Amino acid sequence: MGYDLSIIVPVYNEEDNLERVEKELSDYLKIASVPTSILFVNDGSKDNSQEMIEAICARQPDFHFISFEANKGLSAAIKAGFDHTESRLVGYIDSDLQTAPEDFNLLLEHSEDYHLVTGVRANRKDSFVKNMSSTIANGIRRAFTKDGMDDTGCPLKIIHTDYAKRIPMFKGLHRFLPAMILLQEGKIKQVPVQHFPRVAGEAKYGLWNRLLGPLMDCFAYLWMKKKYINYKVASKSE
């Protein structure tokens, strides 16, 4: 079957969430506004996540997986998803399901006119410390990137696959996906989406990852922006 959208689901030690992930994503496939597939990227999980993923994919024909030999981090998992996607559009959602799969349909409404559409988490259901550190980190990032995005950490995005494949990923760059589309002279948009508390498993990132890490990544982004190569072919021979 040909798919218009492939949704990447990075997984790291999420065995407590995967049954709910299967149910909610399989329910979404029934109402998706375009033909859609699911791609699990197992980022070297040490629990039973891989066994559960294989069982899910065996009984769900539109679910697929790739599995890393070792844990490489979220940016690597997203890049692997980009690399293995063949559909016109590629989406991304976290396996903690703090965002709702059905909100992909809200993003798809704008995917023809924009090369990246990202969610903005309305009424976030996180702790005060997590919300505050995220707000500060987003403010710092906006000052560096000028991308105008309020919530690049929102784990609900749709990108044109050809643009996604041209992103030169490095660790931490998942926070800069809108800015990397702008470097390609693409168009970006943010759309309010639902947000829910985590109901199972544990968050994988602490204060360092949410605040100090992104600050350091901003300097890496500025270096990449200065060195970034972007070109358009005017014509070529047959």
Side-chain angles (χ1 to χ4, degrees):
M1 176 180 179
Y3 299 106
D4 290 338
L5 170 65
S6 300
I7 297 175
I8 301 166
V9 186
V11 175
Y12 180 62
N13 294 344
E14 291 285 1
E15 62 180 5
D16 294 335
N17 272 317
L18 285 172
E19 288 186 359
R20 189 167 68 96
V21 169
E22 177 186 10
K23 180 182 185 307
E24 293 204 17
L25 286 174
S26 61
D27 286 347
Y28 171 67
L29 295 184
K30 299 171 186 175
I31 63 168
S33 51
V34 299
T36 300
S37 68
I38 307 301
L39 177 61
F40 288 114
V41 181
N42 182 14
D43 184 21
S45 295
K46 297 177 174 61
D47 60 2
N48 292 320
S49 291
Q50 180 59 26
E51 290 80 359
M52 296 181 70
I53 287 170
E54 291 180 12
I56 291 169
C57 292
R59 60 180 173 258
Q60 298 281 359
D62 297 317
F63 284 60
H64 313 277
F65 76 87
I66 56 178
S67 182
F68 287 178
E69 291 183 347
N71 176 246
K72 293 297 181 180
L74 182 56
S75 291
I78 293 174
K79 173 175 169 46
F82 291 167
D83 291 344
H84 289 80
T85 293
E86 299 179 358
S87 56
R88 183 176 63 90
L89 300 171
V90 58
Y92 157 56
I93 190 171
D94 275 353
S95 51
D96 59 18
L97 289 184
Q98 288 191 258
T99 50
E102 61 262 30
D103 283 349
F104 274 116
N105 284 350
L106 298 177
L107 306 189
L108 284 166
E109 293 177 7
H110 306 279
S111 64
E112 293 300 320
D113 298 321
Y114 294 89
H115 301 98
L116 176 145
V117 187
T118 182
V120 178
R121 291 167 286 189
N123 301 313
R124 286 186 63 175
K125 302 301 191 294
D126 288 322
S127 68
F128 173 80
V129 171
K130 187 173 181 179
N131 284 336
M132 184 57 64
S133 60
S134 179
T135 298
I136 295 171
N138 272 303
I140 294 171
R141 178 197 43 72
R142 277 196 306 274
F144 276 81
T145 65
K146 313 296 185 187
D147 62 10
M149 297 289 101
D150 297 315
D151 186 17
T152 60
C154 178
L156 198 75
K157 291 178 173 65
I158 290 179
I159 311 173
H160 285 221
T161 301
D162 55 342
Y163 279 72
K165 287 181 179 293
R166 290 197 295 266
I167 295 174
M169 295 288 283
F170 60 79
K171 288 184 178 180
L173 197 65
H174 63 274
R175 304 181 183 97
F176 295 84
L177 294 177
M180 296 307 298
I181 299 302
L182 290 178
L183 284 184
Q184 299 181 48
E185 300 180 358
K187 296 192 295 182
I188 62 177
K189 184 178 181 63
Q190 55 186 4
V191 176
V193 297
Q194 303 172 83
H195 190 246
F196 306 95
R198 175 184 269 270
V199 300
E202 296 180 355
K204 308 302 187 296
Y205 305 102
L207 182 61
W208 169 263
N209 303 92
R210 290 194 297 268
L211 186 55
L212 300 179
L215 175 59
M216 296 179 64
D217 292 338
C218 284
F219 293 99
Y221 165 78
L222 289 181
W223 178 89
M224 177 169 288
K225 181 178 180 180
K226 183 178 180 180
K227 301 292 185 179
Y228 187 73
I229 296 173
N230 189 42
Y231 65 89
K232 293 181 180 179
V233 174
S235 61
K236 62 180 181 179
S237 62
E238 294 296 330

